Amino acid sequence: MTVKTLETVAQSLARSLLRHDVTHIFAQSLPSALILAAEAVGIRQIAYRQENMGGAMADGYARRSGKIGVVAAQNGPAATLLVPPMAEALKASVPIVALVQEVERDQMDRNAFQELDHIALFQSCTKWVRRVIVPERIEDYIDAAFTAAGSGRPGPVALLLPADLLRMQLSVPLSSRSINLGHWPLDRSCPDRATLREAAEMISHARNPVVIAGGGVFGSNACEELADLQETAVLPVFTTNMGKGAVDEHHALSAGVLGSLVGPRSLGRHTAALVNAADLVVLIGTRTNQNGTDSWRQIPPDAQVIHIDVDPQEIGRNYQALRLVGDARETLRELVHALKDCDLSHRRDRRAAVVGRIAECWRRFEEERHPLVHATSSPIRPERIMAELQGLLTAQTTIVADASYSSMWVAGQLRALAPGMRFLTPRGLAGLGWGLPLALGAKAALPSQPVVALVGDGGFAHSWAEIETMVRSELPVIVILLNNGILGFQRDAETAKFGRFTSACHFAPVDHVQIAQACGCPAVRVEDPSKLKGYLQDGLSRKGPLLIEVMTDPEAHPALSLFASMDEAA
């Protein structure tokens, strides 16, 4: 008689991950029992070089796949390196399940090797953290972890797994489960009809309404519904940095990214007047954070506000608002439905004037940046790089940027080609170094679609080891490295605030081409702007990776409000 062998906890956990449609796990072999079991059932391990980067890869994967990202790490120092990307995901509302090994249960609180209080460690940077103690409850906990990550306001969670528990054989077979909790958002709530009707009436009666859409539109997959609202109610739509791409920026009613990009030669320099004159502001999936509101200066104090958000705590945090607590997609669908019962003739009568005003803002922006976009000088202006890249993009291209100036060049200089075009930026906490790993996660999610990562030399130094990960894992990304030899924002911010800057702001020369080539990645250095387009075309047409190191003007900076007076005096 054949006796069926019972599963180990690690095998049961791997089977649960499959049930939740997990196909990729970002890890570095640990917890070994789990990763061996996961690979045995067909889950692909993307082996990062450093946990900080692995967490960012899981973030990029979740943003592009619509599935909850999974990252794994060893106890102790490895676990601590997950804190920064988990904190980013918490602020940016991105669901990640972190599976973290712990010391064996009989060794806890005995100063075992690399023992650390992981519950205390992760409490500040996750929605939920638990330790599994009872083997037979492993599926209860993995289901709870995915539920916590993907429900309500999405975010990261941590599940702590003692090493001995993972190796244990289950005492009894676990009951069969079939529910898939791996896609987000897990639940879709909607405000009550009376409040939706009130919001619809406010929009129909407003004289100068505007919409400011944030990253929550992408989290809810609500771009189509936002486009319906834009057309139905004839509403000018702005986006935050994380909301970029939520609408087609060539649409006549799209006013681009606003926030702090309001300095000289910016689009926001002209479009900000639309918000300043608004009598109604509709906020959708935005935290109304400092960068998204130019230090809370942009929404007029006498304007009415409607705020749609899945997190009730975000509504009213900075602006008194009519509360539409719910999933953005479902709420927008119902709001558009309610608007069809309203008299929108006033809004339609205003369309030509509103469209004309937005078009004039774009025209003036293009006119003012024209000398920079067509500059032939070396070092190369970032505006020229963005213009060359723009002409080669499709709506299926994913643009990823590192924090700091890279994000701002993308947000302020590129233009979304369709609703839902993705621009991934680490704007939750805006930590340097996450551009490349975010791009690798995005490529793992959608390997058939092109991914372009824009990074600065300062941020790239945090993550260049992951070039080897890119090559080994066959995740080809086009990396555009803006090498200006400085920590640009740090130097410029210190100059604006103190009139001088510290010695840390300048780097020694680095040959990034050699670094990439040493990892097996083809690379070129560009110093002549006339050669830019050819290299970009080559990168986007090839199947493999390419690093393009562009020697950029160290005096160039995005048109941020912080530097407006300095730029005007120049």
Side-chain angles (χ1 to χ4, degrees):
M1 184 177 75
T2 302
V3 178
K4 185 177 180 181
T5 304
L6 292 172
E7 289 182 314
T8 65
V9 172
Q11 289 170 328
S12 178
L13 176 52
R15 185 167 48 79
S16 295
L17 293 175
L18 275 183
R19 173 165 56 87
H20 296 312
D21 202 17
V22 174
T23 55
H24 295 72
I25 184 167
F26 299 89
Q28 198 181 67
S29 196
L30 290 154
S32 298
L34 170 60
I35 303 304
L36 287 167
E39 290 188 325
V41 297
I43 296 173
R44 184 186 179 191
Q45 176 185 197
I46 304 292
Y48 52 71
R49 297 301 296 262
Q50 196 239 63
E51 288 75 11
N52 190 326
M53 303 300 127
M57 291 176 200
D59 180 332
Y61 180 86
R63 295 196 203 194
R64 278 313 270 133
S65 68
K67 298 195 295 184
I68 294 170
V70 180
V71 64
Q74 186 182 1
N75 47 292
T80 67
L81 289 170
L82 283 182
V83 170
M86 299 291 270
E88 164 68 25
L90 184 68
K91 283 287 191 178
S93 305
V94 178
I96 296 172
V97 171
L99 302 172
V100 180
Q101 179 172 288
E102 290 222 282
V103 301
E104 301 190 4
R105 287 168 294 174
D106 65 353
Q107 297 174 359
M108 288 182 178
D109 295 321
R110 300 182 68 185
N111 289 329
F113 179 63
Q114 295 187 333
E115 181 181 11
L116 189 66
D117 185 347
H118 294 127
I119 290 179
L121 177 72
F122 288 114
Q123 278 178 332
S124 67
C125 62
T126 63
K127 292 178 63 178
W128 179 98
V129 55
R130 296 290 190 278
R131 176 186 292 122
V132 185
I133 296 296
V134 179
E136 288 69 29
R137 294 206 61 198
I138 186 62
E139 287 198 290
D140 292 339
Y141 277 98
I142 196 66
D143 284 8
F146 275 83
T147 298
S151 62
R153 178 176 177 172
V157 303
L159 187 62
L160 310 179
L161 304 165
D164 64 311
L165 177 131
L166 288 170
R167 299 192 304 269
M168 283 190 67
Q169 202 171 70
L170 295 169
S171 60
V172 295
L174 300 182
S175 59
S176 177
R177 302 189 186 197
S178 60
I179 192 166
N180 178 352
L181 303 170
H183 294 251
W184 63 293
L186 193 56
D187 308 307
R188 292 189 181 274
S189 59
C190 192
D192 63 273
R193 290 183 180 178
T195 309
L196 285 163
R197 283 196 300 269
E198 183 180 354
E201 289 292 337
M202 290 171 66
I203 292 170
S204 67
H205 292 145
R207 182 166 180 79
N208 296 307
V210 300
V211 171
I212 300 176
V217 174
F218 285 112
S220 178
N221 194 21
C223 298
E224 183 179 330
E225 288 71 19
L226 177 57
D228 286 345
L229 176 68
Q230 184 179 36
E231 269 298 320
T232 300
V234 192
L235 294 173
V237 176
F238 295 84
T239 71
T240 65
N241 297 316
M242 286 194 65
K244 185 176 180 66
V247 291
D248 178 357
E249 289 182 313
H250 288 274
H251 188 286
L253 290 166
S254 294
V257 176
L258 190 56
S260 57
L261 285 166
V262 293
R265 295 185 298 278
S266 69
L267 176 64
R269 187 78 157 183
H270 308 294
T271 57
L274 291 167
V275 177
N276 294 338
D279 57 346
L280 174 66
V281 178
V282 182
L283 302 170
I284 307 172
T286 170
R287 297 174 289 149
T288 62
N289 63 330
Q290 184 173 16
N291 286 348
T293 60
D294 196 22
S295 297
W296 308 283
R297 291 188 292 243
Q298 283 171 339
I299 296 178
D302 56 348
Q304 291 184 297
V305 176
I306 298 169
H307 197 160
I308 300 170
D309 206 283
V310 73
D311 185 350
Q313 291 297 111
E314 290 299 344
I315 300 176
R317 179 188 292 273
N318 292 308
Y319 302 99
Q320 178 177 282
L322 178 69
R323 301 173 59 84
L324 293 183
V325 181
D327 172 74
R329 191 181 78 182
E330 297 307 306
T331 302
L332 287 173
R333 280 180 181 172
E334 292 303 316
L335 180 57
V336 169
H337 182 74
L339 280 164
K340 291 177 180 176
D341 294 329
C342 297
D343 180 6
L344 296 175
S345 58
H346 172 64
R347 298 295 322 130
R348 289 190 286 269
D349 291 344
R350 297 272 300 165
R351 183 183 179 100
V354 173
V355 166
R357 190 171 179 189
I358 293 173
E360 177 62 13
C361 292
W362 282 104
R363 187 197 66 77
R364 292 174 68 183
F365 168 55
E366 295 291 353
E367 181 181 81
E368 290 172 0
R369 72 169 180 161
H370 184 273
L372 302 177
V373 164
H374 296 278
T376 58
S377 57
S378 296
I380 300 171
R381 290 288 307 195
E383 295 90 345
R384 172 74 185 263
I385 302 167
M386 296 297 98
E388 298 286 8
L389 178 61
Q390 179 74 60
L392 301 173
L393 299 179
T394 71
Q396 287 70 48
T397 309
T398 299
I399 301 294
V400 184
D402 209 331
S404 196
Y405 281 175
S406 298
S407 293
M408 296 298 99
W409 291 124
V410 164
Q413 296 292 321
L414 295 182
R415 201 165 177 180
L417 300 174
M421 184 176 176
R422 292 311 304 266
F423 297 82
L424 306 187
T425 55
R427 303 310 303 175
L429 284 179
L432 277 178
W434 289 332
L436 177 59
L438 278 173
L440 297 182
K443 189 66 177 180
L446 295 172
S448 65
Q449 296 188 9
V451 177
V452 177
L454 192 82
V455 301
D457 52 334
F460 187 56
H462 290 251
S463 56
W464 60 34
E466 304 304 336
I467 288 286
E468 186 276 333
T469 303
M470 175 176 71
V471 173
R472 170 174 39 84
S473 302
E474 297 182 341
L475 297 172
V477 168
I478 309 307
V479 181
I480 302 174
L481 171 61
L482 307 183
N483 184 354
N484 60 6
I486 60 170
L487 278 174
F489 178 81
Q490 196 63 31
R491 184 202 64 178
D492 295 340
E494 288 177 0
T495 299
K497 294 176 182 179
F498 304 106
R500 55 198 177 98
F501 50 86
T502 79
S503 57
C505 295
H506 283 79
F507 302 133
V510 176
D511 190 335
H512 299 92
V513 168
Q514 288 194 22
I515 291 172
Q517 290 174 339
C519 295
C521 174
V524 294
R525 174 177 282 190
V526 184
E527 298 179 87
D528 180 353
S530 68
K531 296 181 179 180
L532 258 175
K533 185 176 181 179
Y535 285 122
L536 291 171
Q537 286 176 322
D538 175 41
L540 286 165
S541 63
R542 65 169 57 210
K543 293 184 178 179
L546 179 66
L547 182 138
I548 305 173
E549 180 179 27
V550 186
M551 307 309 289
T552 54
D553 186 353
E555 300 308 312
H557 56 244
L560 299 171
S561 58
L562 176 61
F563 309 136
S565 59
M566 189 166 66
D567 290 342
E568 286 163 352

Coordinates of all heavy atoms in Angstrom, one line a residue, residues 3-4 11 50 91 123 155 223 253 306 308 322 362 370 434 464 474 503 519 551-552 554:
V3 N 1.7 5.0 0.8 CA 1.3 6.0 1.9 C 1.7 7.4 1.3 O 2.8 7.6 0.9 CB 2.1 5.7 3.2 CG1 1.7 6.8 4.2 CG2 1.8 4.4 3.7
K4 N 0.6 8.2 1.3 CA 0.8 9.6 0.7 C 1.6 10.4 1.8 O 1.2 10.5 2.9 CB -0.5 10.2 0.4 CG -0.4 11.6 -0.2 CD -1.7 12.2 -0.6 CE -1.5 13.5 -1.2 NZ -2.9 14.1 -1.6
Q11 N 6.0 23.7 1.4 CA 5.3 23.2 0.2 C 3.8 23.7 0.2 O 3.3 24.1 -0.9 CB 5.3 21.7 0.1 CG 6.7 21.2 -0.2 CD 6.8 19.7 0.0 OE1 6.1 19.1 0.9 NE2 7.7 19.0 -0.8
Q50 N 20.3 42.9 -3.9 CA 20.2 43.5 -2.6 C 18.7 43.7 -2.3 O 17.9 44.0 -3.2 CB 20.9 44.9 -2.6 CG 21.2 45.4 -1.2 CD 20.5 46.8 -1.1 OE1 19.3 46.9 -1.1 NE2 21.3 47.8 -0.8
K91 N 3.4 54.4 1.4 CA 3.0 55.8 1.1 C 2.3 55.9 -0.3 O 1.4 56.6 -0.6 CB 4.2 56.7 1.1 CG 4.7 57.1 2.5 CD 3.7 58.2 3.1 CE 4.2 58.8 4.3 NZ 3.3 59.8 4.9
Q123 N 6.4 47.3 11.8 CA 5.1 48.0 12.2 C 5.0 49.4 11.6 O 3.9 49.8 11.3 CB 5.0 48.0 13.7 CG 4.4 46.7 14.2 CD 4.3 46.7 15.7 OE1 5.1 47.4 16.4 NE2 3.4 45.9 16.3
G155 N -1.5 48.2 0.1 CA -0.2 48.5 0.8 C 0.6 47.3 1.1 O 0.1 46.2 0.9
C223 N -8.8 54.6 -15.4 CA -8.5 55.6 -16.4 C -9.7 55.8 -17.4 O -9.9 56.9 -17.9 CB -7.2 55.2 -17.2 SG -5.8 55.1 -16.1
L253 N -8.9 68.6 -23.2 CA -9.2 69.0 -21.9 C -8.2 68.6 -20.8 O -8.4 68.7 -19.6 CB -10.6 68.5 -21.4 CG -11.8 69.1 -22.2 CD1 -13.1 68.3 -21.9 CD2 -12.0 70.6 -21.6
I306 N -14.5 68.3 -3.9 CA -15.1 66.9 -3.8 C -13.9 66.0 -3.8 O -13.0 66.1 -4.7 CB -16.0 66.6 -5.0 CG1 -17.2 67.5 -5.1 CG2 -16.4 65.1 -5.0 CD1 -18.0 67.4 -6.4
I308 N -12.6 62.0 -3.9 CA -12.9 60.6 -4.1 C -11.6 59.8 -3.6 O -10.5 60.0 -4.2 CB -13.2 60.2 -5.5 CG1 -14.4 61.0 -6.0 CG2 -13.3 58.7 -5.7 CD1 -14.6 60.9 -7.5
L322 N -16.5 67.4 0.2 CA -17.6 66.4 0.2 C -16.9 65.0 0.0 O -16.1 64.8 -0.9 CB -18.5 66.7 -1.0 CG -19.6 65.7 -1.2 CD1 -20.6 65.8 -0.1 CD2 -20.3 65.9 -2.6
W362 N -0.6 75.1 -23.5 CA 0.4 74.2 -24.2 C 1.2 74.9 -25.2 O 2.4 74.7 -25.3 CB -0.4 73.0 -24.8 CG -0.8 72.0 -23.9 CD1 -2.1 71.8 -23.4 CD2 -0.1 70.9 -23.3 NE1 -2.2 70.7 -22.6 CE2 -0.9 70.1 -22.5 CE3 1.3 70.6 -23.4 CZ2 -0.5 69.0 -21.7 CZ3 1.8 69.5 -22.6 CH2 0.9 68.7 -21.8
H370 N 11.2 75.7 -26.5 CA 11.7 75.4 -27.9 C 13.3 75.5 -27.9 O 13.9 74.6 -28.5 CB 11.1 76.3 -28.9 CG 11.5 76.0 -30.3 ND1 12.6 76.6 -30.9 CD2 11.0 75.2 -31.2 CE1 12.8 76.1 -32.1 NE2 11.8 75.3 -32.4
W434 N 15.7 53.8 -6.9 CA 14.7 52.8 -7.1 C 14.2 52.8 -8.6 O 13.4 52.0 -9.0 CB 13.5 53.1 -6.2 CG 13.7 52.7 -4.8 CD1 14.6 51.8 -4.4 CD2 13.1 53.3 -3.6 NE1 14.6 51.7 -3.0 CE2 13.7 52.7 -2.5 CE3 12.2 54.4 -3.4 CZ2 13.4 53.0 -1.2 CZ3 11.9 54.7 -2.1 CH2 12.4 54.0 -1.0
W464 N 23.3 50.1 -9.3 CA 23.9 49.6 -10.5 C 24.3 48.1 -10.5 O 24.4 47.5 -11.5 CB 25.1 50.5 -11.0 CG 26.3 50.6 -10.1 CD1 26.8 49.6 -9.2 CD2 27.2 51.7 -10.0 NE1 27.9 50.1 -8.6 CE2 28.2 51.4 -9.1 CE3 27.2 53.0 -10.6 CZ2 29.2 52.3 -8.7 CZ3 28.2 53.8 -10.3 CH2 29.2 53.5 -9.3
E474 N 17.3 38.1 -17.8 CA 16.8 38.4 -19.1 C 15.5 39.3 -19.0 O 14.4 38.9 -19.5 CB 16.4 37.1 -19.9 CG 17.7 36.2 -20.1 CD 17.4 34.9 -20.9 OE1 16.2 34.5 -20.9 OE2 18.3 34.4 -21.5
S503 N 30.2 69.8 0.1 CA 31.2 69.1 -0.7 C 30.7 67.8 -1.2 O 31.3 67.2 -2.1 CB 32.5 68.9 0.0 OG 32.3 68.2 1.2
C519 N 29.0 43.9 -16.7 CA 27.9 43.0 -16.3 C 27.2 42.3 -17.5 O 26.2 41.6 -17.4 CB 26.8 43.9 -15.6 SG 27.4 44.5 -14.0
M551 N 25.8 62.5 -21.4 CA 26.5 63.5 -20.6 C 25.7 64.8 -20.6 O 25.5 65.5 -21.7 CB 27.9 63.8 -21.2 CG 28.7 62.5 -21.3 SD 28.8 61.5 -19.8 CE 29.8 62.5 -18.8
T552 N 25.1 65.1 -19.5 CA 24.1 66.2 -19.5 C 24.6 67.4 -18.7 O 25.5 67.4 -17.9 CB 22.8 65.7 -18.8 OG1 23.1 65.2 -17.5 CG2 22.1 64.7 -19.6
P554 N 25.1 70.1 -16.2 CA 24.9 70.2 -14.8 C 24.2 71.4 -14.3 O 23.7 71.5 -13.2 CB 26.4 70.2 -14.2 CG 27.2 70.7 -15.3 CD 26.5 70.2 -16.6

